[in-house]
Amino acid sequence: MGGTGPAPWRRAGVVAALMLAAFTFNTTENLPVGLLALMADDLRVSLAAVGALVTGYGLTVALASLPLAQVTRSVPRRYLLVGILGLLAVASWASALGGVSYGVLLAARVVTALAQAVFWSVMGPVAVGLFPPERRGRVIGMLSVGGSLATVAGVPAGTWLGGHTDWRTPFVMLGVLALVSLVTIAALLPTSRPQDGHAAYGAAPDRRGFRVVLAVTALSVTGAFAGFTYVVAFLDEVSGFGASAVSAVLFAFGGAALAGVAVAGPLLDRFPRATLTVPVAAQTVALLGLWATGHVPVASVLLIMVLGASVSTVFMATQTQVLRVAPGRTETALAANSAAYNVGIAAGALLGGALLPVVGVRGTFLAGGLWSAAALMVQTRPARARRGAGIRRWRTSADL
């Protein structure tokens, strides 16, 4: 699928469909957060039980990503994506059935999470395989915009729609979006063997570099969510914002996340080191800054926006690096990075929860900043010296 691949309009259509699918998956994953009270009342369960629909979703993706990547590695990507999006559509509509029980809803969430676990591992290779190798980073940046829009527009719009109609209505609409993506990919994506094309393998395989990327992903995400999981309490107790102002600050966070991926995406191929190192450093500064100056409202808003821009960009940059240094098939490597990301979310929430009664909500941001600093150290520490042609030279893991 290189330069002799599909016509430009077909490639653009496939990328647009994958962006829409990423938007739909991310919105589906986090939508119960916005509909928490409505769903709990209707299903007659506790708020914690509805919250478990989000936590369990992430854990399912973390546990299933690698095994499913191995099981599906030989399935042609056109057929695999059609099947995945079909599951997303059916599970979304099953969630919206009148009188659906909590158990059925939980089962639908598990099915969707399994589909998402496969989607994240194949989305990147499929998209970048349609374009020349030197455009890998730019294509990943475009896909990341689709995923980031879920935070800025998808969840808020779903929350608004659910509040003005019924909590099931947004799930019906998400099923429709999944169907649109399915039909577009079925019509435009060529059928080929997964192992064909440059995107099936890393451009510069490096086993040690791959381990560094995974470590940076896990550490940075753990740091981010150690604090951000409790950001609403932080903005209330430390920054002194009211409920309406908190919503505005969170919207600013989402807008900054979208801006971050939009700005960094085109730079991934030209500046691979900076587009990973800079956002990890910015995340560290933002978390430590919130701990130190979060009581100042203006500083709090600005630092929350820096955090949004950096968190979204870190994952996008690590995905691009995985495509470059993957020691084997890229879908397996991307599945490992997705698993590391979701493990980081769960670990960060658990870390923050354990520290909350000891150090308070402000202290969770200090802990998050220290974990992020550890990720920065892993990213920039000197690697093992290598000898070649009689010349001793050092390279750093920042060369990723």
Side-chain angles (χ1 to χ4, degrees), residues 18 23 53 85 168 201 238 243 265 317 327 386:
L18 291 172
F23 169 85
L53 296 175
L85 293 169
R168 296 173 176 83
Y201 302 94
V238 179
R386 298 185 178 183

Side-chain angles (χ1 to χ4, degrees), residues 142-168:
M142 292 174 64
L143 297 177
S144 297
V145 169
S148 297
L149 277 171
T151 303
V152 181
V155 174
T159 302
W160 179 88
L161 182 61
H164 286 76
T165 56
D166 181 86
W167 68 263
R168 296 173 176 83

Side-chain angles (χ1 to χ4, degrees), residues 8-254:
W9 68 270
R10 293 175 69 96
R11 288 186 280 181
V14 171
V15 171
L18 291 172
M19 291 174 67
L20 178 60
F23 169 85
T24 306
F25 269 118
N26 276 6
T27 302
T28 301
E29 179 175 5
N30 296 296
L31 185 57
V33 173
L35 302 174
L36 206 65
L38 290 174
M39 294 178 71
D41 288 344
D42 186 65
L43 296 169
R44 293 181 175 83
V45 297
S46 66
L47 292 177
V50 178
L53 296 175
V54 177
T55 306
Y57 192 110
L59 290 176
T60 301
V61 174
L63 294 173
S65 291
L66 271 173
L68 289 179
Q70 291 289 343
V71 169
T72 61
R73 62 182 306 181
S74 62
V75 181
R77 286 344 190 191
R78 179 167 172 258
Y79 301 146
L80 183 60
L81 282 169
V82 166
I84 290 168
L85 293 169
L87 287 175
L88 173 59
V90 171
S92 298
W93 291 328
S95 301
L97 291 174
V100 66
S101 67
Y102 179 82
V104 172
L105 184 59
L106 179 61
R109 296 282 294 176
V110 170
V111 169
T112 307
L114 293 173
Q116 180 167 322
V118 180
F119 178 76
W120 290 136
S121 67
V122 301
M123 173 185 67
V126 166
V128 302
L130 297 170
F131 297 88
E134 61 272 14
R135 296 183 62 183
R136 285 187 170 195
R138 181 169 298 185
V139 174
I140 291 295
M142 292 174 64
L143 297 177
S144 297
V145 169
S148 297
L149 277 171
T151 303
V152 181
V155 174
T159 302
W160 179 88
L161 182 61
H164 286 76
T165 56
D166 181 86
W167 68 263
R168 296 173 176 83
T169 306
F171 287 98
V172 174
M173 298 306 299
L174 289 170
V176 172
L177 295 181
L179 184 61
V180 171
S181 299
L182 184 158
V183 172
T184 304
I185 288 172
L188 300 182
L189 182 65
T191 301
S192 62
R193 297 188 305 169
Q195 63 269 33
D196 292 341
H198 68 84
Y201 302 94
D206 182 346
R207 191 172 298 277
R208 182 191 175 279
F210 175 62
R211 290 196 296 266
V212 168
V213 174
L214 293 185
V216 170
T217 297
L219 289 170
S220 64
V221 175
T222 298
F225 282 86
F228 188 73
T229 301
Y230 307 97
V231 67
V232 173
F234 180 91
L235 292 173
D236 178 26
E237 298 174 16
V238 179
S239 303
F241 289 108
S244 59
V246 166
S247 298
V249 174
L250 293 179
F251 182 80
F253 172 90

